[in-house]
Amino acid sequence: MAAFNFRPMMWPIAAAAILATVGIAQPPSPPPDRWWKPDEGRRFPAVLDYENDYGVLRTLLIGGPIETRDHAFFRAIGPDGRACVTCHQPADGMSLSAASVQHQWQAVGPRDPLFAAYDGSNCPSLPQQDRASHSLLIDHGLIRIARPWPPLDQNRKPVKADFTIEVVRDPTGCNLDPQWGIDSARHQISVFRRPRPVANFKYIEAMGFAYDPKAGMPLPVDPDTGKPVSGNLMADGRVLSLQSQMREAAGTHLQFMKAMDRKDIAQILDFESRLYVAQQTDRVGGALEADGAEGGPRKLADSPAGRLGSQGVAIWSEFAAWEKPAAIVKDGSAQTAFRQSVARGARLFRDRTFLITDSAGITSPVGFGNPVRNGCAFCHNMSQMGMDVAPGQVDLGTTNQPFADPAPHLPLFRIRCLGKPHPHYGKMILTSDPGYALTTGRCADVGRITLQTLRGLSARAPYFSNGSARDLRGIIDYYDRRYDIRYTEQEKQDMVNLLKSL
């Protein structure tokens, strides 16, 4: 994958706000630097805008602003000087773009806490001053995730797996490393994934079902509260609540050697629960909440979560007004053409159907059929968000052969099922990331990944859990190949224009 070019012109524009929900006018904030460093002590405004390749991303902090000095999300903890904000940058939609990573390497190099050896390098045993030791993070935006093998349950007890795992290819050297690998005293498997956004949690935690329809099983139960949870927080479902996620992140990504205290957890929870992120303006289309459209994060903040877009509430209905000629200027301008394209993309997303084949969590084990005819909104069904309100994970083939794009920079594992064969791959599977199977120990879960939010995509390339889609067009091209949809070039562009507007 080619490197992303960081554009010096893409610095924040204004960060001023009026909080309509509380009726308090916030004074303008001076435009901050794009990268938020731990312990800077900046003021986080109620409205924060950043330019990106396609327009302007907006972050709303409902009830804001806040002072970040000594705030748990922005405070450096642990030996490497990292904070939560290190990997969850406001300019990147509260995630982390490869372009930002490249800029930090060029500006600061290995001294930046982002490149901490534990997970900011391809393996902690490599020479940390070398760019090559951080290539997966710099070139692909991937963080190293070390998973225990055999898997451990929520109580840290071993899970008896119904498959074996063998390292076939190890370009980073970490899976065969004597200190960090699968046969080391740590017994770890290293996989490499994109950081998930920490915003719009009202939707991420919403539940549309009382059970997991993808597996036909009861919902997982949060051991802290004893209550069922959506399971949509992490790519592999390894933690079930935001509190658990913070503790896990503090001990791994922040290398914090003691438990995060309740006060810090409460402060981070308060901050994250008030954040809403979405694209606000397009370079060509203009304001995404103009002429009847309802794009931008304000719609997210004001709308209820957990609504099924595929069952009566039209997903991406925010852009329905742009389908109506009376709602837009009929002057043949580029702005008008773009808005009409977004509206067509939204209709394609809702209505275009195709045959979905060999996709665990959809075609098995739930009984929809293999193949099943449906469309994008079948899984990306939550209005305003594009997540799946049905808990559970799905295998789109992005990490499993023969569907995955070539990825020689990633490790390759051979999975051998000990009992029943996988319903779509058989007894033997080649994968760069076993996904949910590293949590459950079930062969049938190999490659299954939790769907992400589709909001703020313009700010956080590359895409898919393993960064295999370099840009938004790459997402559409993958689906088109994977399910033989046969989009026309115009339809592909319409879908890209929709995604960049979310």
Side-chain angles (χ1 to χ4, degrees), residues 167-495:
V167 180
V168 176
R169 181 180 68 221
D170 193 27
T172 71
C174 219
N175 282 292
L176 297 177
D177 189 272
Q179 184 179 359
W180 301 93
I182 190 171
D183 293 325
S184 70
R186 287 181 167 86
H187 297 292
Q188 292 180 341
I189 293 171
S190 292
V191 293
F192 298 84
R193 298 176 184 155
R194 299 281 293 117
R196 295 171 73 88
V198 291
N200 306 326
F201 274 117
K202 175 173 67 175
Y203 297 87
I204 293 171
E205 295 185 297
M207 291 182 288
F209 288 80
Y211 66 99
D212 177 355
K214 296 184 177 73
M217 298 175 65
L219 289 176
V221 174
D222 177 12
D224 291 331
T225 65
K227 296 180 180 180
V229 292
S230 70
N232 285 332
L233 288 174
M234 308 295 286
D236 56 15
R238 66 184 181 273
V239 296
L240 300 176
S241 66
L242 278 173
Q243 293 93 327
S244 298
Q245 186 273 331
M246 290 176 203
R247 295 190 193 100
E248 195 250 7
T252 56
H253 305 304
L254 299 177
Q255 290 288 278
F256 196 37
M257 303 313 293
K258 64 179 182 179
M260 185 176 285
D261 64 35
R262 292 183 179 180
K263 179 181 177 182
D264 285 346
I265 289 176
Q267 192 173 46
I268 296 173
L269 276 174
D270 173 72
F271 174 68
E272 292 180 346
S273 67
R274 295 191 284 121
L275 279 177
Y276 292 91
V277 173
Q279 193 79 344
Q280 177 71 20
T281 305
D282 183 81
R283 290 187 187 278
V284 178
L288 297 170
E289 55 182 5
D291 293 324
E294 297 179 292
R298 174 54 61 186
K299 178 73 171 180
L300 298 179
D302 293 345
S303 299
R307 295 159 59 188
L308 279 170
S310 59
Q311 296 186 6
V313 180
I315 194 166
W316 311 138
S317 59
E318 308 77 310
F319 302 109
W322 283 352
E323 285 189 292
K324 303 173 183 177
I328 56 179
V329 180
K330 295 182 289 183
D331 58 2
S333 69
Q335 182 183 80
T336 295
F338 176 85
R339 292 180 175 184
Q340 290 173 329
S341 176
V342 170
R344 290 194 303 268
R347 185 164 292 281
L348 281 168
F349 195 99
R350 293 191 303 264
D351 300 342
R352 178 69 172 269
T353 64
F354 43 88
L355 292 177
I356 302 170
T357 58
D358 299 332
S359 300
I362 305 175
T363 57
S364 68
V366 290
F368 288 119
N370 186 25
V372 58
R373 178 169 287 280
N374 221 299
C376 302
F378 184 46
C379 293
H380 297 281
N381 50 50
M382 185 182 285
S383 289
Q384 285 87 53
M385 201 65 173
M387 293 188 68
D388 192 351
V389 297
Q393 290 69 33
V394 168
D395 169 32
L396 299 173
T398 54
T399 65
N400 295 343
Q401 293 186 7
F403 304 117
D405 289 327
H409 55 285
L410 293 177
L412 186 67
F413 306 99
R414 180 180 288 113
I415 304 293
R416 295 186 188 275
C417 305
L418 299 175
K420 291 177 61 178
H422 189 282
H424 306 309
Y425 300 108
K427 280 279 190 178
M428 193 271 287
I429 310 165
L430 291 174
T431 182
S432 63
D433 186 346
Y436 190 42
L438 292 178
T439 298
T440 67
R442 295 193 296 258
C443 180
D445 293 331
V446 171
R448 290 179 64 176
I449 297 288
T450 306
L451 297 179
Q452 286 201 36
T453 166
L454 298 187
R455 286 295 187 171
L457 289 173
S458 293
R460 53 185 170 94
Y463 308 103
F464 293 134
S465 66
N466 60 356
S468 59
R470 175 181 175 178
D471 51 27
L472 294 175
R473 174 61 184 260
I475 299 175
I476 305 305
D477 285 342
Y478 178 80
Y479 277 103
D480 193 51
R481 293 192 307 271
R482 174 67 176 86
Y483 298 117
D484 194 27
I485 302 174
R486 303 186 186 185
Y487 287 127
T488 66
E489 280 300 309
Q490 182 61 63
E491 288 173 333
K492 288 182 178 183
Q493 188 60 56
D494 293 342
M495 294 286 280

